Amino acid sequence: MQHIVILGNGIAGITAARHIRKHGDDRITVISGETDHFFSRTALMYIYMGHMKYEHTKPYEDWFWVKNKIDLKKAWVTSIDFEQKSLHFDSNESMTYDQLLIATGSISNKFGWPGQDLKGVQGLYSMQDLELMEENTQGIKHAVILGGGLIGVEMAEMLHSRHIPVTYLIREKHFWDNMLPPEEATLIDHHLAEQGIDLRSETELEEILGDDEGRVKAVKTKSGAVIECQFVGLTVGVSPNIGLFKDSPLHTDRGILVDEFLQTNLPNVYAIGDCAQLKRPLPHRRAIEAVWYAGRMMGETVAQTITGTRTSYQPGVWFNSAKFFDIEYQNYGVVPPECPADCTAFYWEAGDKKKCIKVIFDTSTLVVKGVNIFGIRNRHEVWDDWISKGKSIRYVIENLPKANFDPEFSTHWEGDIQRKFNAAFPDLEVSVRKKSFLEKILS
């Protein structure tokens, strides 16, 4: 029986632990100094907003770990001796391993701004960050958020739920337009404005100003504007949490370098999740993918290899999801900010500016490459099947109702989308979905 140690109790590490247990009886220890148990990191915002308590964010009951013989150790690792296969903790304890799985996640980015270490300035990634935000936002009158990404918009919604006015600074012309095409980015701009968020585009931070007690009192932009605030959220992305390994034999770049089997340069040492960087990423996939879904798939994959079935990481069609206040977002396949020269884009938007769909397809073959969906729920397995099998744009648009996953009695928009498509591409005309009898009554 070997001892498998997993460093990190996020989605990647815990998925690996669960699947390793399914395939054998090896001793498993999960180490984390963040929390006693695995919790849903994506639910952090709902604790702050009062929708959930911490115990509600635990996907497994407390007895789950004992029943499945997964040992949990709450501790911070201070060093690792890879030659002796031993980990050393801040408590002066140590532990040996036979196989080590590193899943240390991410840390919030900082870019050396003057004042970035003042009280009231922070990122949002860990449970400790949430606790700090609870402390830092007590009784404040105004907040500034820096960085137009998913964590930033979550933080804006959190503050908004407590009626704290928010000024949101982004370098880009539109929200998240380094990832979203202009139409979708503009739609989110409009929605943020509707929520009362003061979104200031093409604005860069010069410095964060503090008071005599070392607490933030304002930010100054590069244009010279001074915005008074008592809280600054730094949400300019995350980086792999690899500080522990910088001066070790482990090969690192931006993240811990791994091969297609998620193995590092050291024997019996693997890395997965946000901290892992693939040496040879697959086409249309990034070397580092700091998303929940990728972490889960890496955990499942590495568990196969560790338990004797050597398995390469094959994540398949890219997908992601998020929520921008009231607008849900799904992405499948490749939809870059600018449509590639060899592709064509079809875009539809509802009159309420809260729903849209963009499909990118190859101009010559008509094969669909990717889709962005806002405000309409679609089925992951349907889009995964369509894109992986190279379905044509005509097939996809005609069969859109099969993908719909909106709640019962919701308005169906597929007919409107199909009519817009027929008007834009008359040579590819598709049949239009007709309203059901119940829909006609409700409308």
Side-chain angles (χ1 to χ4, degrees), residues 252-274:
T252 62
D253 181 31
R254 290 184 296 135
I256 300 170
L257 293 169
V258 296
D259 63 16
E260 65 270 32
F261 300 101
L262 305 172
Q263 185 162 5
T264 70
N265 62 298
L266 301 179
N268 303 310
V269 180
Y270 302 82
I272 58 174
D274 292 13

PDB file of all heavy atoms in Angstrom, residues 252-274:
ATOM      1  N   THR A 252       9.500  24.793 -13.239  1.00  0.00           N
ATOM      2  CA  THR A 252       8.364  25.704 -13.296  1.00  0.00           C
ATOM      3  C   THR A 252       8.593  26.760 -14.361  1.00  0.00           C
ATOM      4  O   THR A 252       9.722  27.055 -14.743  1.00  0.00           O
ATOM      5  CB  THR A 252       8.132  26.406 -11.937  1.00  0.00           C
ATOM      6  OG1 THR A 252       9.283  27.199 -11.622  1.00  0.00           O
ATOM      7  CG2 THR A 252       7.877  25.406 -10.827  1.00  0.00           C
ATOM      8  N   ASP A 253       7.518  27.332 -14.838  1.00  0.00           N
ATOM      9  CA  ASP A 253       7.540  28.512 -15.711  1.00  0.00           C
ATOM     10  C   ASP A 253       6.564  29.486 -15.076  1.00  0.00           C
ATOM     11  O   ASP A 253       6.799  29.977 -13.983  1.00  0.00           O
ATOM     12  CB  ASP A 253       7.169  28.118 -17.135  1.00  0.00           C
ATOM     13  CG  ASP A 253       7.183  29.281 -18.103  1.00  0.00           C
ATOM     14  OD1 ASP A 253       7.987  30.211 -17.906  1.00  0.00           O
ATOM     15  OD2 ASP A 253       6.388  29.279 -19.059  1.00  0.00           O
ATOM     16  N   ARG A 254       5.452  29.746 -15.706  1.00  0.00           N
ATOM     17  CA  ARG A 254       4.384  30.481 -15.015  1.00  0.00           C
ATOM     18  C   ARG A 254       3.698  29.576 -14.011  1.00  0.00           C
ATOM     19  O   ARG A 254       3.217  30.009 -12.978  1.00  0.00           O
ATOM     20  CB  ARG A 254       3.386  31.034 -16.027  1.00  0.00           C
ATOM     21  CG  ARG A 254       3.936  32.173 -16.875  1.00  0.00           C
ATOM     22  CD  ARG A 254       2.877  32.739 -17.795  1.00  0.00           C
ATOM     23  NE  ARG A 254       2.433  31.755 -18.762  1.00  0.00           N
ATOM     24  CZ  ARG A 254       1.163  31.506 -19.102  1.00  0.00           C
ATOM     25  NH1 ARG A 254       0.196  32.192 -18.526  1.00  0.00           N
ATOM     26  NH2 ARG A 254       0.859  30.593 -20.001  1.00  0.00           N
ATOM     27  N   GLY A 255       3.623  28.293 -14.351  1.00  0.00           N
ATOM     28  CA  GLY A 255       3.068  27.281 -13.465  1.00  0.00           C
ATOM     29  C   GLY A 255       4.037  26.117 -13.341  1.00  0.00           C
ATOM     30  O   GLY A 255       5.183  26.188 -13.816  1.00  0.00           O
ATOM     31  N   ILE A 256       3.601  25.028 -12.719  1.00  0.00           N
ATOM     32  CA  ILE A 256       4.412  23.820 -12.621  1.00  0.00           C
ATOM     33  C   ILE A 256       4.292  23.065 -13.941  1.00  0.00           C
ATOM     34  O   ILE A 256       3.190  22.709 -14.362  1.00  0.00           O
ATOM     35  CB  ILE A 256       3.939  22.930 -11.460  1.00  0.00           C
ATOM     36  CG1 ILE A 256       4.054  23.692 -10.130  1.00  0.00           C
ATOM     37  CG2 ILE A 256       4.738  21.638 -11.399  1.00  0.00           C
ATOM     38  CD1 ILE A 256       3.385  22.984  -8.965  1.00  0.00           C
ATOM     39  N   LEU A 257       5.401  22.838 -14.595  1.00  0.00           N
ATOM     40  CA  LEU A 257       5.385  22.229 -15.918  1.00  0.00           C
ATOM     41  C   LEU A 257       5.058  20.737 -15.834  1.00  0.00           C
ATOM     42  O   LEU A 257       5.684  19.998 -15.063  1.00  0.00           O
ATOM     43  CB  LEU A 257       6.726  22.438 -16.611  1.00  0.00           C
ATOM     44  CG  LEU A 257       7.050  23.903 -16.962  1.00  0.00           C
ATOM     45  CD1 LEU A 257       8.506  24.045 -17.390  1.00  0.00           C
ATOM     46  CD2 LEU A 257       6.115  24.407 -18.055  1.00  0.00           C
ATOM     47  N   VAL A 258       4.085  20.308 -16.631  1.00  0.00           N
ATOM     48  CA  VAL A 258       3.670  18.905 -16.642  1.00  0.00           C
ATOM     49  C   VAL A 258       3.546  18.415 -18.079  1.00  0.00           C
ATOM     50  O   VAL A 258       3.331  19.200 -19.008  1.00  0.00           O
ATOM     51  CB  VAL A 258       2.323  18.697 -15.910  1.00  0.00           C
ATOM     52  CG1 VAL A 258       2.448  19.032 -14.437  1.00  0.00           C
ATOM     53  CG2 VAL A 258       1.199  19.522 -16.555  1.00  0.00           C
ATOM     54  N   ASP A 259       3.658  17.112 -18.244  1.00  0.00           N
ATOM     55  CA  ASP A 259       3.466  16.511 -19.564  1.00  0.00           C
ATOM     56  C   ASP A 259       2.006  16.142 -19.757  1.00  0.00           C
ATOM     57  O   ASP A 259       1.135  16.528 -18.947  1.00  0.00           O
ATOM     58  CB  ASP A 259       4.390  15.304 -19.747  1.00  0.00           C
ATOM     59  CG  ASP A 259       4.105  14.170 -18.754  1.00  0.00           C
ATOM     60  OD1 ASP A 259       3.020  14.160 -18.128  1.00  0.00           O
ATOM     61  OD2 ASP A 259       4.974  13.284 -18.601  1.00  0.00           O
ATOM     62  N   GLU A 260       1.716  15.396 -20.813  1.00  0.00           N
ATOM     63  CA  GLU A 260       0.319  15.066 -21.109  1.00  0.00           C
ATOM     64  C   GLU A 260      -0.304  14.133 -20.082  1.00  0.00           C
ATOM     65  O   GLU A 260      -1.522  13.962 -20.044  1.00  0.00           O
ATOM     66  CB  GLU A 260       0.197  14.447 -22.510  1.00  0.00           C
ATOM     67  CG  GLU A 260       0.883  13.119 -22.693  1.00  0.00           C
ATOM     68  CD  GLU A 260       2.334  13.253 -23.155  1.00  0.00           C
ATOM     69  OE1 GLU A 260       3.005  14.247 -22.794  1.00  0.00           O
ATOM     70  OE2 GLU A 260       2.791  12.344 -23.888  1.00  0.00           O
ATOM     71  N   PHE A 261       0.548  13.530 -19.227  1.00  0.00           N
ATOM     72  CA  PHE A 261       0.036  12.673 -18.159  1.00  0.00           C
ATOM     73  C   PHE A 261      -0.015  13.419 -16.824  1.00  0.00           C
ATOM     74  O   PHE A 261      -0.218  12.816 -15.781  1.00  0.00           O
ATOM     75  CB  PHE A 261       0.898  11.415 -18.032  1.00  0.00           C
ATOM     76  CG  PHE A 261       0.928  10.595 -19.290  1.00  0.00           C
ATOM     77  CD1 PHE A 261       2.011  10.666 -20.149  1.00  0.00           C
ATOM     78  CD2 PHE A 261      -0.149   9.786 -19.636  1.00  0.00           C
ATOM     79  CE1 PHE A 261       2.033   9.929 -21.325  1.00  0.00           C
ATOM     80  CE2 PHE A 261      -0.136   9.047 -20.805  1.00  0.00           C
ATOM     81  CZ  PHE A 261       0.954   9.120 -21.663  1.00  0.00           C
ATOM     82  N   LEU A 262       0.218  14.744 -16.884  1.00  0.00           N
ATOM     83  CA  LEU A 262       0.175  15.629 -15.726  1.00  0.00           C
ATOM     84  C   LEU A 262       1.292  15.337 -14.735  1.00  0.00           C
ATOM     85  O   LEU A 262       1.207  15.673 -13.562  1.00  0.00           O
ATOM     86  CB  LEU A 262      -1.198  15.558 -15.042  1.00  0.00           C
ATOM     87  CG  LEU A 262      -2.373  15.842 -15.986  1.00  0.00           C
ATOM     88  CD1 LEU A 262      -3.709  15.573 -15.297  1.00  0.00           C
ATOM     89  CD2 LEU A 262      -2.326  17.266 -16.515  1.00  0.00           C
ATOM     90  N   GLN A 263       2.373  14.723 -15.238  1.00  0.00           N
ATOM     91  CA  GLN A 263       3.535  14.414 -14.415  1.00  0.00           C
ATOM     92  C   GLN A 263       4.579  15.510 -14.575  1.00  0.00           C
ATOM     93  O   GLN A 263       4.783  16.052 -15.662  1.00  0.00           O
ATOM     94  CB  GLN A 263       4.144  13.077 -14.812  1.00  0.00           C
ATOM     95  CG  GLN A 263       5.290  12.650 -13.903  1.00  0.00           C
ATOM     96  CD  GLN A 263       5.600  11.169 -14.008  1.00  0.00           C
ATOM     97  OE1 GLN A 263       5.023  10.469 -14.833  1.00  0.00           O
ATOM     98  NE2 GLN A 263       6.491  10.676 -13.167  1.00  0.00           N
ATOM     99  N   THR A 264       5.241  15.844 -13.477  1.00  0.00           N
ATOM    100  CA  THR A 264       6.305  16.841 -13.489  1.00  0.00           C
ATOM    101  C   THR A 264       7.615  16.183 -13.933  1.00  0.00           C
ATOM    102  O   THR A 264       7.645  14.997 -14.297  1.00  0.00           O
ATOM    103  CB  THR A 264       6.485  17.451 -12.094  1.00  0.00           C
ATOM    104  OG1 THR A 264       7.058  16.474 -11.214  1.00  0.00           O
ATOM    105  CG2 THR A 264       5.142  17.918 -11.527  1.00  0.00           C
ATOM    106  N   ASN A 265       8.701  16.938 -13.842  1.00  0.00           N
ATOM    107  CA  ASN A 265      10.014  16.386 -14.177  1.00  0.00           C
ATOM    108  C   ASN A 265      10.534  15.435 -13.102  1.00  0.00           C
ATOM    109  O   ASN A 265      11.526  14.723 -13.330  1.00  0.00           O
ATOM    110  CB  ASN A 265      11.030  17.517 -14.370  1.00  0.00           C
ATOM    111  CG  ASN A 265      11.236  18.334 -13.098  1.00  0.00           C
ATOM    112  OD1 ASN A 265      10.305  18.951 -12.597  1.00  0.00           O
ATOM    113  ND2 ASN A 265      12.461  18.337 -12.566  1.00  0.00           N
ATOM    114  N   LEU A 266       9.892  15.410 -11.935  1.00  0.00           N
ATOM    115  CA  LEU A 266      10.327  14.547 -10.841  1.00  0.00           C
ATOM    116  C   LEU A 266       9.482  13.281 -10.789  1.00  0.00           C
ATOM    117  O   LEU A 266       8.256  13.335 -11.012  1.00  0.00           O
ATOM    118  CB  LEU A 266      10.214  15.285  -9.502  1.00  0.00           C
ATOM    119  CG  LEU A 266      11.030  16.584  -9.384  1.00  0.00           C
ATOM    120  CD1 LEU A 266      10.794  17.223  -8.023  1.00  0.00           C
ATOM    121  CD2 LEU A 266      12.507  16.322  -9.608  1.00  0.00           C
ATOM    122  N   PRO A 267      10.088  12.138 -10.502  1.00  0.00           N
ATOM    123  CA  PRO A 267       9.311  10.896 -10.428  1.00  0.00           C
ATOM    124  C   PRO A 267       8.298  10.938  -9.293  1.00  0.00           C
ATOM    125  O   PRO A 267       8.572  11.477  -8.224  1.00  0.00           O
ATOM    126  CB  PRO A 267      10.383   9.820 -10.184  1.00  0.00           C
ATOM    127  CG  PRO A 267      11.550  10.565  -9.615  1.00  0.00           C
ATOM    128  CD  PRO A 267      11.521  11.922 -10.234  1.00  0.00           C
ATOM    129  N   ASN A 268       7.113  10.397  -9.578  1.00  0.00           N
ATOM    130  CA  ASN A 268       6.056  10.282  -8.570  1.00  0.00           C
ATOM    131  C   ASN A 268       5.547  11.622  -8.062  1.00  0.00           C
ATOM    132  O   ASN A 268       4.991  11.709  -6.967  1.00  0.00           O
ATOM    133  CB  ASN A 268       6.527   9.435  -7.374  1.00  0.00           C
ATOM    134  CG  ASN A 268       6.993   8.059  -7.781  1.00  0.00           C
ATOM    135  OD1 ASN A 268       6.289   7.356  -8.507  1.00  0.00           O
ATOM    136  ND2 ASN A 268       8.193   7.668  -7.360  1.00  0.00           N
ATOM    137  N   VAL A 269       5.721  12.677  -8.855  1.00  0.00           N
ATOM    138  CA  VAL A 269       5.197  13.994  -8.496  1.00  0.00           C
ATOM    139  C   VAL A 269       4.372  14.516  -9.663  1.00  0.00           C
ATOM    140  O   VAL A 269       4.856  14.601 -10.796  1.00  0.00           O
ATOM    141  CB  VAL A 269       6.318  15.002  -8.160  1.00  0.00           C
ATOM    142  CG1 VAL A 269       5.710  16.359  -7.795  1.00  0.00           C
ATOM    143  CG2 VAL A 269       7.179  14.481  -7.020  1.00  0.00           C
ATOM    144  N   TYR A 270       3.113  14.876  -9.379  1.00  0.00           N
ATOM    145  CA  TYR A 270       2.176  15.349 -10.398  1.00  0.00           C
ATOM    146  C   TYR A 270       1.649  16.727  -9.989  1.00  0.00           C
ATOM    147  O   TYR A 270       1.708  17.104  -8.826  1.00  0.00           O
ATOM    148  CB  TYR A 270       0.998  14.381 -10.540  1.00  0.00           C
ATOM    149  CG  TYR A 270       1.409  12.966 -10.892  1.00  0.00           C
ATOM    150  CD1 TYR A 270       1.836  12.075  -9.910  1.00  0.00           C
ATOM    151  CD2 TYR A 270       1.369  12.522 -12.207  1.00  0.00           C
ATOM    152  CE1 TYR A 270       2.222  10.778 -10.220  1.00  0.00           C
ATOM    153  CE2 TYR A 270       1.740  11.218 -12.547  1.00  0.00           C
ATOM    154  CZ  TYR A 270       2.174  10.358 -11.544  1.00  0.00           C
ATOM    155  OH  TYR A 270       2.554   9.082 -11.866  1.00  0.00           O
ATOM    156  N   ALA A 271       1.112  17.454 -10.961  1.00  0.00           N
ATOM    157  CA  ALA A 271       0.482  18.750 -10.665  1.00  0.00           C
ATOM    158  C   ALA A 271      -0.782  18.872 -11.507  1.00  0.00           C
ATOM    159  O   ALA A 271      -0.803  18.492 -12.687  1.00  0.00           O
ATOM    160  CB  ALA A 271       1.420  19.903 -10.958  1.00  0.00           C
ATOM    161  N   ILE A 272      -1.834  19.403 -10.894  1.00  0.00           N
ATOM    162  CA  ILE A 272      -3.117  19.538 -11.582  1.00  0.00           C
ATOM    163  C   ILE A 272      -3.803  20.836 -11.160  1.00  0.00           C
ATOM    164  O   ILE A 272      -3.450  21.458 -10.166  1.00  0.00           O
ATOM    165  CB  ILE A 272      -4.057  18.343 -11.266  1.00  0.00           C
ATOM    166  CG1 ILE A 272      -4.296  18.217  -9.756  1.00  0.00           C
ATOM    167  CG2 ILE A 272      -3.528  17.055 -11.851  1.00  0.00           C
ATOM    168  CD1 ILE A 272      -5.323  17.156  -9.380  1.00  0.00           C
ATOM    169  N   GLY A 273      -4.787  21.236 -11.937  1.00  0.00           N
ATOM    170  CA  GLY A 273      -5.577  22.407 -11.598  1.00  0.00           C
ATOM    171  C   GLY A 273      -4.894  23.700 -11.995  1.00  0.00           C
ATOM    172  O   GLY A 273      -4.054  23.752 -12.898  1.00  0.00           O
ATOM    173  N   ASP A 274      -5.231  24.765 -11.276  1.00  0.00           N
ATOM    174  CA  ASP A 274      -4.748  26.109 -11.608  1.00  0.00           C
ATOM    175  C   ASP A 274      -3.227  26.219 -11.619  1.00  0.00           C
ATOM    176  O   ASP A 274      -2.668  27.055 -12.334  1.00  0.00           O
ATOM    177  CB  ASP A 274      -5.266  27.128 -10.587  1.00  0.00           C
ATOM    178  CG  ASP A 274      -6.766  27.345 -10.673  1.00  0.00           C
ATOM    179  OD1 ASP A 274      -7.440  26.535 -11.343  1.00  0.00           O
ATOM    180  OD2 ASP A 274      -7.262  28.311 -10.075  1.00  0.00           O
TER     181      ASP A 274
END
